[in-house]
């Protein structure tokens, strides 16, 4: 079995089958039926159907553009007599080169941490998933993460030495927790593109506490508030286990807050203090939570409007002294 080498993945080419006797002579009278097999099992690879030699072949038959191989590397084609399997032969190694690039594969490890630069790799591939070693296109990057502080490399032009694969060392920084992706697209042929698998992004270390409570509240009535540990990018720091201390703007008698609280693993960075706060002085008040070890990790509620409670007494005021028999106004 003879075929020229190299070939290009996905491009059909011709093979010639020659029947030989034990001495290497062409067996011009051969009339057997041959079937074909190949080392390449990639989708899209193909071979001729069974063929029965005829007198006009004189023991040699060329199968024009009837073989397609798709997997880059060394491949072979074998012809075997369907009636006598000992009559067989295999081609020399056929070097299969990749076809032109049709897509980009973007790969990165997961998970990553918010705000920490990490590496990712872009591989140009043909339609058969072979690395397109000759790719020299320019690629542009986009990301699902629009958070401030997230970043990607500028446009990059692949060079011959890349052989279709380039790693961008510490080239990406993502900041928004959850699942994020990176996309690479050829700047000339935008159908040559690819997006990474979802990159799970964990929060950075806690830098602040967010204290939230509904407003208004009523003086003297206990209400709930929530403390959330966040990193500098606003992600909830699910692993936060600090101790927090509470203060308030309201110094009125009867106002109260919880004692120091140690966050637990089960809190996942968020804890609600059910009916934990009581404020008594009407007007705008606030609650502050502060880490007892790192006091820069702190946060204060927005203004909580405290409305007066229901009337429970009268205050009667009058000027003193007064003159007997003289009618004066009093204020209730």
């Amino acid at each position: 079995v003879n075929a020229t080498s190299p070939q290009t993945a996905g491009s059909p080419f011709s093979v010639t089958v020659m029947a030989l006797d034990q001495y290497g002579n062409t067996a011009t009278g051969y009339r057997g039926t041959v079937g074909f097999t190949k080392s390449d099992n990639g989708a899209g690879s193909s071979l001729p159907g069974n063929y029965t030699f005829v007198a006009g072949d004189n023991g040699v038959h060329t199968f024009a553009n009837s073989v397609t191989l798709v997997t880059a590397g060394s491949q072979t084609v074998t012809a075997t007599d369907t009636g006598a399997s000992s009559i067989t032969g295999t081609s020399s190694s056929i070097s299969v080169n990749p076809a032109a690039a049709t897509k980009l594969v973007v790969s990165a490890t997961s998970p990553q941490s918010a705000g920490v630069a990490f590496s990712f790799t872009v591989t140009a591939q043909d339609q058969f998933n072979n690395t397109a070693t000759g790719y020299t296109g320019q690629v542009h990057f986009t990301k699902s993460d629009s958070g401030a502080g997230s970043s990607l490399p500028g446009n990059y032009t692949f060079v011959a030495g890349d052989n279709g694969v380039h790693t961008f060392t510490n080239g990406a920084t993502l900041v928004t927790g959850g699942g994020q992706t990176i996309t690479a697209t050829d700047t000339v042929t935008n159908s040559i593109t690819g997006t990474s698998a979802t990159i799970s992004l964990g929060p950075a270390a806690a830098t602040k506490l967010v204290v939230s409570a509904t407003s208004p509240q009523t003086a003297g009535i206990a209400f709930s508030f929530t403390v959330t540990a966040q990193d500098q990018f606003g992600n909830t720091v699910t692993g936060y286990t600090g101790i927090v201390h509470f203060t308030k703007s309201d110094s009125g008698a009867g106002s109260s807050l919880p004692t120091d609280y140690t966050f637990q693993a089960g809190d996942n960075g968020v804890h609600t203090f059910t009916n934990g706060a009581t404020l008594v002085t009407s007007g705008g008040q606030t609650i502050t939570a502060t880490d007892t070890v790192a006091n820069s990790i702190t946060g204060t509620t927005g203004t909580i409007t405290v409305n007066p409670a229901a009337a429970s007494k009268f205050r009667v005021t009058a000027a003193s002294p007064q003159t007997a028999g003289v009618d004066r106004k009093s204020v209730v």
Side-chain angles (χ1 to χ4, degrees), residues 126-212:
D126 67 13
Q127 61 180 312
F128 308 108
N129 301 325
N130 301 306
T131 298
T133 53
Y135 178 72
T136 54
Q138 184 183 75
V139 294
H140 174 72
F141 301 98
T142 56
K143 50 186 168 58
S144 59
D145 186 357
S146 58
S150 61
S151 64
L152 291 174
N155 291 357
Y156 176 77
T157 302
F158 276 66
V159 297
D162 288 325
N163 290 314
V165 182
H166 190 82
T167 295
F168 298 85
T169 304
N170 292 331
T173 302
L174 301 175
V175 301
T176 305
Q180 303 294 343
T181 57
I182 298 171
T183 298
T185 304
D186 187 289
T187 58
V188 175
T189 307
N190 59 17
S191 63
I192 302 175
T193 188
T195 298
S196 69
T198 298
I199 302 166
S200 177
L201 201 68
T207 61
K208 60 185 174 182
L209 300 174
V210 176
V211 187
S212 55

Side-chain angles (χ1 to χ4, degrees), residues 36 57 84 126 161 177 180 248 252 271 288 297 320 325-327:
F36 296 92
D57 289 325
D126 67 13
Q180 303 294 343
K248 50 187 169 58
H271 189 82
T288 298
I297 303 174
S320 177
V326 177
D327 185 25

